[in-house]
Amino acid sequence: MPGRVSSRSTRTSAAISHKSSTQTLNSRASTTSRISTPHIDVPEETEDNELRSQVSSIFRDAQRTTASHRKLVINLRKLQEACCYEPTSEKNKKTGAEDFDEEQFTDEFIRCVLRVMPVKKSESVGEKVIRFIGLFLKHASEKDNDLVPEDADETGVMIETPSTRLTTQLMTKILPLLTAKEKFVRYRSTQLISHIINSLEAIEDDLFQLLRHGLLKRIHDKEAMVRVQAVLGLGRLAGNEAEGEADDSDDDDESGAGLLDKLLEVLQNDPSADVRRSLLVNLPILPNTLPFLLERARDQDAATRRALYSRLLPSLGDFRHLSLSMREKLLRWGLRDRDENVRKAAGKLFRERWIEDCAGTADVEEGSDPSKEEQKPPSFEGLLELLERIDVVNSGVENGVALEAMKGFWEGRPDYREAVTFDDYFWDTLSAESVFMARSFNDFCLNEGNGRYESLLEDKMPEVTKLAFYLQRYITVLVEAIKRVAAQEPTEDVEEEDTVEQEFIVEQMLQIAQTVDYSDEVGRRKMFALLRQSLSIPDLPEEVTKLAIEALRGICAPDAAGEREFISVVLESVADVHDTIMDEPEAEDADESFHSAKSEVSDDEAPGASGKAGKKSVLSEEEAQEKAIREIMVNMKCLHIVQCMLENVECTLQQNVDLVACLNNLVVPAVRSHEVPVRERGLLCLGLCALLDKSLAEENLTLFMHFYSKGHSALQITALQILTDILNKHGAHLLESNPLLLKVYLKALKSGSKAPEVQAAATVAVAKLMLGRVIGDTSTAIDDLLKTLVVLYFDPSSAHNQAVRQTLSYFLPVYSFSRKENQDRMGRVALDAMHKLFEIQETLDDDGDAETEMISMSTIGAHLIDWTDPRKCYVPGNQLSLADEAKKSVNGDVHLELARDMLERLGSGISREEKKSLAPLLAKLYISPTSTESLIREVYDEISTAIEDKLIPDATGRNALFKIHVSLGKIVNNLTEREKSAPKSRKSSVAPSVEGDEKTVLADDNADDESLADKTELLKVEEEEDDDGTGTIIADVDAKNIRDSLVESLLSDDGDVEMTG
């Protein structure tokens, strides 16, 4: 190989002295090199020699493919050894470099390296050569270390070798290039230094500090590609310093902790996602860096978030070292990410990496070989531990992340899905983790795979009767645990934790009970009786009660008769719970009669009896207070059962006698109660009853508005939700007949400073009413509500209320684009909203409040113009509503009316600053030639008048006015021309050609209308007659004649001109 290379490079130095770089890179790279060479201090060329030919040939081959790098590294090492070491035997093959020394080899090596520096990033040869350089230096260092005597390495001082000297001299030449003006030179030099740092095992201390200092300056380079390479090298240096390899640094600012702090700051604040991602995967994982690395799960770049779940977390080791809250956050953020790839990476991490961490520990404890992870059978002990590690009791609730995690687990692990068994022992020894595993498996088989997995339920889940017996057992255990907790001392908390777990077990079993098949009559009756009996238990937790009522509704038939049965059964349970208030006083009375009889028999114990009576009077006060509290709790329990029942019925209130009795005997007295909790829950039940009866809703609207005006924030939200539901159910005419109701919504929308959560609830409510067209087009309140929402979206006072901003960012464009009527309404309120926002901006400028920032009026106007763009409005029945042809033919009256309103506003007495913000919007309006002709002419006349009257003082506004004037002028002239040519087209049935076509246009604002001749060739003429025998259509195409550039930019026709008779 060396002989072949040298034969290709046998040219005199005079022939190649000026083009030596062409031997190191290909033609594309060499061109780049020649262009960028003045930015690099290239050493002067010396005479060509055998060593240069061989080194250049090796570098030339290295840039072709990485497959030959190992062989080329060996060849280059032979050249280095021939130059640096004396030959040990004369039998060794001559390389032709024996006549050269180490300094000459170093010069030739650096000479070739410098030719790589100007290569652009897009050129792959640069990457290949830099990879070759790093591989060679690593190989040479290893070979030199093998030649060093073993006792010389014990001193701890780095031994100087030819490779270390070569590395030092190379870095000395490359370091000044870090500050070059040419960005690609900075990029390649930083890339080379970082690659060498990551390739070598040891670097001299002096060189280490120089490299560190140089790379630190590059982390703030203006080019992101340079910063990426800088952090790649600094990540390795920071890891070494953190391990104590460079703890003898003299500069406190430049200590390892200081370097880590700077890199962490870059990780948090660098605008480039590539830089953040490079740091994420290269920073050392330490206790002080881990929180900063994990917070990249909320990075704005999807690829960075995916890198956290697919690269960092799997390499982190055992996930159980993370805190419980961090595990739950990582899982929730990943599985609910907006990017599908991030969700997949998080699901894969959970079902493959985390489960193996738990299952692997169990296998090691059992004595198996931990290295055989691929052959591991499913470990349900590990799965239960995994569920415990993510705190399934809290994360397994309705909106918890555990259900989403287990859904992906069952889908991605068919081995666990097939191997899972739910036998009698499993149900006899349920824990929170095991019952959640069963519930998640049940939900997955029912909801996923389009019924493919339902056969697994029949094989693995128990029948209804057996499930009812298990449920009865655990409900009994739960009630007993609750009673023990009520009787224990306040300092004891072990029993309370057990109660939480037992409650979770019952909840999950009730979730399963809601989905089972009740075609088995025996099982259905057993479950029905169990749920009916359970509802009568006063101490049953509210969530369990809610799930039991939902399960009971599923057991009853879905028709009207089943609903009546459901209501009667639930109200019987309410009566049983309410009777517990009356049962306890009877026991006290019996106890009192027993003591009174005893006192009458024994007259000698009168003093003692009087003492006991005094004690009894004191106890009676305490008992009276306890009785009052108990009565409140029982009433709350009854109201909660009624609330859950009302949420599951749809019948008319007046048609069900039981519901009317419940309303009169329980709900109305609760609303009138003096106890605040009872009154608030009674209000909620009354609102649910109002949904079932229109007359009841109309009678109590004033009551609900009173609760809003007088209540606290939570009660105001409840009242708003009730009022919104009533309007959705019974129609918006209630809003018309009650003017105060509109004021309630407007007041709630403006309550951001006092109650931001109320403002958020009101925004959602109004958005639903308007999107659902509950508030119709004829309503007088709809314009005020829409204007208020537009102002609220841009008002800086709502900047910190993200719930409001998020709701409106979805609602406003969807509302505008969904119907033409909605877009017209947005156009009507746009200018009033802008005027209001301009006043708000002026107020902020006067106050000088630096903390409150408001977006510019031009941005606000751009939003309003976009929302009223007729091309984006949905057209029912038009399949081409989003096509280009359809966009050109839409009716643009909404923007013409907006232009007319703008001219009217500009002509009114508004301030000069407001004119400057309003006038440029005229240029952004879309002027459609298919708009109403009369409106086009009217707006054109008004704009002409505005130009003559010099309505707009500033140049930007005038240019916008001229632009819309030209656009309208072209359309008006086309309309006029069409009217003139219409009689001719009726007389002639065939028009073979047209030599000229005169068009009257308005060239600019200072010139009169001019007639421009535009020669157009008619390629095809067709005569089409309908049944009446009238109508001739002449179709033409765009002419390609040469026109004046100004006329073309202002007046060019993109579409065909259709001439109809």
Side-chain angles (χ1 to χ4, degrees), residues 734-840:
L734 298 175
L735 194 65
E736 304 294 335
S737 58
N738 293 272
L740 294 177
L741 186 55
L742 174 61
K743 294 182 179 179
V744 167
Y745 281 105
L746 292 175
K747 181 180 178 182
L749 290 174
K750 299 175 182 178
S751 63
S753 58
K754 298 180 181 178
E757 63 277 5
V758 176
Q759 186 184 43
T763 304
V764 174
V766 174
K768 288 181 177 179
L769 291 174
M770 295 180 68
L771 273 181
R773 298 172 63 181
V774 176
I775 304 178
D777 298 334
T778 58
S779 174
T780 57
I782 190 168
D783 288 351
D784 293 337
L785 290 173
L786 182 59
K787 174 188 170 183
T788 304
L789 291 178
V790 173
V791 173
L792 186 62
Y793 183 55
F794 297 107
D795 194 339
S797 63
S798 66
H800 300 292
N801 197 338
Q802 294 300 318
V804 171
R805 288 289 178 96
Q806 188 172 8
T807 301
L808 292 177
S809 66
Y810 171 81
F811 164 76
L812 289 173
V814 170
Y815 178 80
S816 300
F817 300 149
S818 59
R819 293 174 68 229
K820 183 180 183 302
E821 293 80 1
N822 295 349
Q823 204 168 51
D824 293 340
R825 184 171 298 105
M826 178 65 74
R828 289 198 297 270
V829 305
L831 295 182
D832 291 336
M834 274 199 73
H835 180 69
K836 180 65 176 178
L837 289 167
F838 184 80
E839 292 178 347
I840 294 174

Side-chain angles (χ1 to χ4, degrees), residues 1 42 114 207 218 262 399 480 537 545 669 761 820 822 855 934 987:
M1 181 69 183
V42 180
L114 289 177
L207 180 60
R218 291 304 97 207
K262 291 178 181 178
N399 292 321
E480 292 176 355
I537 302 175
T545 302
K820 183 180 183 302
N822 295 349
I855 62 176
S934 59
K987 296 178 182 178

Side-chain angles (χ1 to χ4, degrees), residues 442-453:
N442 180 74
D443 288 355
F444 170 78
C445 293
L446 284 175
N447 302 324
E448 303 299 324
N450 295 324
R452 283 187 301 162
Y453 307 118

Side-chain angles (χ1 to χ4, degrees), residues 224-242:
M225 59 181 181
V226 179
R227 300 198 302 271
V228 168
Q229 299 301 325
V231 299
L232 285 176
L234 289 173
R236 171 76 185 275
L237 300 182
N240 292 339
E241 290 187 357

Side-chain angles (χ1 to χ4, degrees), residues 301-575:
D301 178 61
T304 303
R305 300 195 301 271
R306 185 173 68 251
L308 174 77
Y309 287 98
S310 60
R311 298 180 62 181
L312 178 68
L313 289 177
S315 64
L316 188 60
D318 198 333
F319 80 99
R320 290 171 289 188
H321 295 303
L322 298 174
S323 65
L324 178 61
S325 62
M326 183 54 69
R327 291 177 222 150
E328 194 272 337
K329 285 180 180 178
L330 288 173
L331 204 57
R332 185 175 73 250
W333 292 341
L335 293 177
R336 295 179 178 176
D337 196 276
R338 59 179 175 269
D339 187 82
E340 183 180 2
N341 293 324
V342 179
R343 295 196 298 270
K344 289 180 179 179
K348 184 177 181 181
L349 174 74
F350 177 79
R351 68 175 178 265
E352 294 183 6
R353 190 68 181 88
W354 286 11
I355 183 63
E356 294 304 327
D357 287 341
C358 298
T361 302
D363 289 348
V364 170
E365 291 175 352
E366 294 171 7
S368 63
D369 186 4
S371 62
K372 300 179 180 178
E373 290 191 5
E374 290 84 0
Q375 289 78 26
K376 280 183 181 178
S379 172
F380 290 98
E381 291 79 6
L383 179 57
L384 294 178
E385 182 186 352
L386 175 60
L387 292 175
E388 181 183 1
R389 296 290 183 181
I390 63 173
D391 189 19
V392 73
V393 174
N394 292 317
S395 62
V397 294
E398 184 175 355
N399 292 321
V401 74
L403 269 177
E404 300 169 38
M406 287 304 294
K407 172 189 172 184
F409 180 86
W410 293 119
E411 185 176 6
R413 296 302 298 264
D415 51 340
Y416 277 82
R417 193 170 64 227
E418 298 296 335
V420 67
T421 56
F422 303 113
D423 51 12
D424 292 341
Y425 177 77
F426 174 87
W427 293 104
D428 289 335
T429 58
L430 281 180
S431 63
E433 293 76 26
S434 61
V435 72
F436 183 78
M437 181 177 69
R439 182 264 174 104
S440 62
F441 180 79
N442 180 74
D443 288 355
F444 170 78
C445 293
L446 284 175
N447 302 324
E448 303 299 324
N450 295 324
R452 283 187 301 162
Y453 307 118
E454 291 184 359
S455 59
L456 293 176
L457 290 180
E458 299 177 2
D459 300 336
K460 299 179 183 296
M461 297 298 289
E463 59 271 14
V464 180
T465 306
K466 187 178 291 187
L467 181 64
F469 278 109
Y470 289 134
L471 180 58
Q472 184 178 13
R473 177 193 303 176
Y474 286 103
I475 288 178
T476 303
V477 172
L478 172 62
V479 174
E480 292 176 355
I482 291 174
K483 291 181 179 179
R484 286 198 306 271
V485 170
Q488 72 179 3
E489 296 295 329
T491 57
E492 302 176 13
D493 56 352
V494 179
E495 288 288 343
E496 187 173 356
E497 294 179 1
D498 182 63
T499 304
V500 173
E501 183 174 3
Q502 292 297 329
E503 182 179 347
F504 182 79
I505 291 174
V506 174
E507 289 174 5
Q508 301 306 305
M509 295 190 71
L510 285 171
Q511 293 279 7
I512 297 174
Q514 292 181 19
T515 61
V516 297
D517 183 11
Y518 288 104
S519 58
D520 179 15
E521 184 62 22
V522 176
R524 192 193 78 85
R525 290 182 180 180
K526 175 62 181 176
M527 185 67 74
F528 184 87
L530 171 63
L531 296 177
R532 164 66 181 83
Q533 181 184 358
S534 302
L535 289 177
S536 301
I537 302 175
D539 297 325
L540 201 66
E542 287 191 351
E543 186 63 27
V544 176
T545 302
K546 177 184 177 182
L547 293 173
I549 292 176
E550 292 176 356
L552 185 63
R553 182 66 189 95
I555 294 175
C556 296
D559 55 8
E563 193 170 67
R564 285 194 298 270
E565 180 188 16
F566 168 70
I567 293 172
S568 63
V569 169
V570 173
L571 291 182
E572 286 176 8
S573 301
V574 171

